[in-house]
């Protein structure tokens, strides 16, 4: 069974930094593209970033230059390093696996971790 | 840049059927999509991937009541025999060069 468990969320001041982690199990982590999606309170889903099994990275314009996605296949863990955080980054952040085989869609979701940016 | 448009809300009666629509922006009518469900206070759940020709493949454990279809730039999610637990937000998703895109979501109310 595919499992994705996020951690690392919390309260951070504007301008601060935070690192999210996502522990993956139940599949061959190194072969899948992984993605981060966020959801601001009362809003819809917003794609944030993705990283291929080979380490190629992609970012939404809203976070480019501030967020860095990475992965450690020896630990089956995905990371999102967030810096220069703003109030508008407040959201539940979901770790997700992409389907693969040329389909860049999410096929498994984590339960999410809440990030609150506030003074 | 591909854009996905969804109606903000829909409603249907318990036991009835409902068809939700996701519309691809001009020039992107051949794009495939995915449908996701988000029940209140829960994380999203993958429902299915849907091709432009209407062929679709559902995720593990998704009931037969959920099906997908396509027509031109429109992608549909049909839910039959509506149950109370189908009351949720439904999002479509696709991708373009180097990005992924979500629609704004449709809030489905089961009356």
């Amino acid at each position: 069974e595919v499992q994705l468990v996020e951690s690392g969320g919390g309260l951070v001041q504007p301008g601060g930094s935070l690192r999210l982690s996502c522990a993956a199990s139940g599949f061959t982590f190194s072969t899948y593209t992984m993605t981060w999606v966020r959801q601001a309170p009362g809003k819809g889903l917003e794609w944030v970033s993705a990283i291929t099994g080979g380490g190629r990275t992609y970012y939404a314009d809203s976070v480019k230059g501030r967020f860095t996605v990475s992965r450690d296949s020896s630990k089956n863990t995905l990371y999102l390093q967030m810096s220069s955080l703003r109030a508008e980054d407040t959201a539940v952040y979901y770790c997700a696996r992409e389907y693969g085989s040329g389909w860049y869609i999410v096929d498994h979701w984590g339960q999410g971790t809440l990030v609150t940016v506030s003074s | 840049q591909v854009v996905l448009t969804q109606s903000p809300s829909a409603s249907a009666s318990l036991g009835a059927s409902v068809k939700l629509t996701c519309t691809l922006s001009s020039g992107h009518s051949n794009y495939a999509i995915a449908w996701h469900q988000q029940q209140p206070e829960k994380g999203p759940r993958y429902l299915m991937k849907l091709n432009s020709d209407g062929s679709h493949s559902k995720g593990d454990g998704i009931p037969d009541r959920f099906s997908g279809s396509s027509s031109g730039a429109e992608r549909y999610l049909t839910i039959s025999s509506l149950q109370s637990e189908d009351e949720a937000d439904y999002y479509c998703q696709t991708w373009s060069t180097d990005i992924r895109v979500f629609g704004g979501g449709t809030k489905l109310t089961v009356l």
Side-chain angles (χ1 to χ4, degrees):
Chain A
E1 179 194 2
V2 172
Q3 288 201 326
L4 301 167
V5 180
E6 302 93 335
S7 60
L11 175 63
V12 61
Q13 291 189 338
S17 298
L18 204 61
R19 188 178 83 157
L20 306 183
S21 300
C22 171
S25 62
F27 64 102
T28 307
F29 178 74
S30 62
T31 64
Y32 282 86
T33 295
M34 301 296 294
T35 200
W36 288 98
V37 177
R38 69 183 180 184
Q39 186 171 36
K43 302 297 184 182
L45 301 174
E46 179 191 15
W47 174 73
V48 173
S49 180
I51 183 168
T52 68
R56 185 170 180 182
T57 59
Y58 305 90
Y59 298 94
D61 287 344
S62 58
V63 306
K64 205 171 290 184
R66 300 188 299 123
F67 290 12
T68 302
V69 63
S70 61
R71 63 193 298 160
D72 185 339
S73 291
S74 69
K75 296 181 179 179
N76 285 354
T77 302
L78 174 72
Y79 302 100
L80 185 67
Q81 178 69 47
M82 305 183 293
S83 60
S84 302
L85 283 162
R86 307 165 180 166
E88 54 264 37
D89 295 318
T90 294
V92 175
Y93 284 73
Y94 295 100
C95 163
R97 189 188 84 168
E98 292 195 346
Y99 187 93
S101 301
W103 287 79
Y104 303 100
I105 56 165
V106 169
D107 73 344
H108 284 88
W109 295 85
Q111 86 290 347
T113 187
L114 176 63
V115 172
T116 302
V117 183
S118 174
S119 54
Chain B
Q1 190 91 312
V2 59
V3 174
L4 300 174
T5 301
Q6 299 182 253
S7 297
S9 63
S11 62
S13 299
L14 200 64
S17 292
V18 68
K19 191 174 189 179
L20 306 182
T21 304
C22 173
T23 303
L24 288 149
S25 52
S26 178
H28 301 96
S29 62
N30 64 329
Y31 278 45
I33 70 157
W35 283 104
H36 304 279
Q37 176 195 60
Q38 187 175 30
Q39 295 172 319
E41 307 306 317
K42 289 190 174 182
R45 177 174 71 152
Y46 166 70
L47 293 177
M48 69 180 69
K49 60 184 181 74
L50 174 60
N51 271 308
S52 58
D53 64 1
S55 60
H56 58 281
S57 173
K58 290 186 285 189
D60 294 339
I62 303 304
D64 291 342
R65 304 185 296 104
F66 291 81
S67 63
S69 58
S70 298
S71 177
E74 314 263 284
R75 304 288 179 265
Y76 305 109
L77 173 68
T78 299
I79 312 171
S80 58
S81 303
L82 273 169
Q83 301 181 4
S84 56
E85 60 262 34
D86 297 331
E87 186 160 290
D89 294 325
Y90 292 84
Y91 294 92
C92 53
Q93 183 208 353
T94 192
W95 68 93
S96 186
T97 306
D98 297 346
I99 65 167
R100 281 72 166 148
V101 177
F102 285 92
T106 295
K107 183 177 186 64
L108 174 65
T109 300
V110 178
L111 304 171

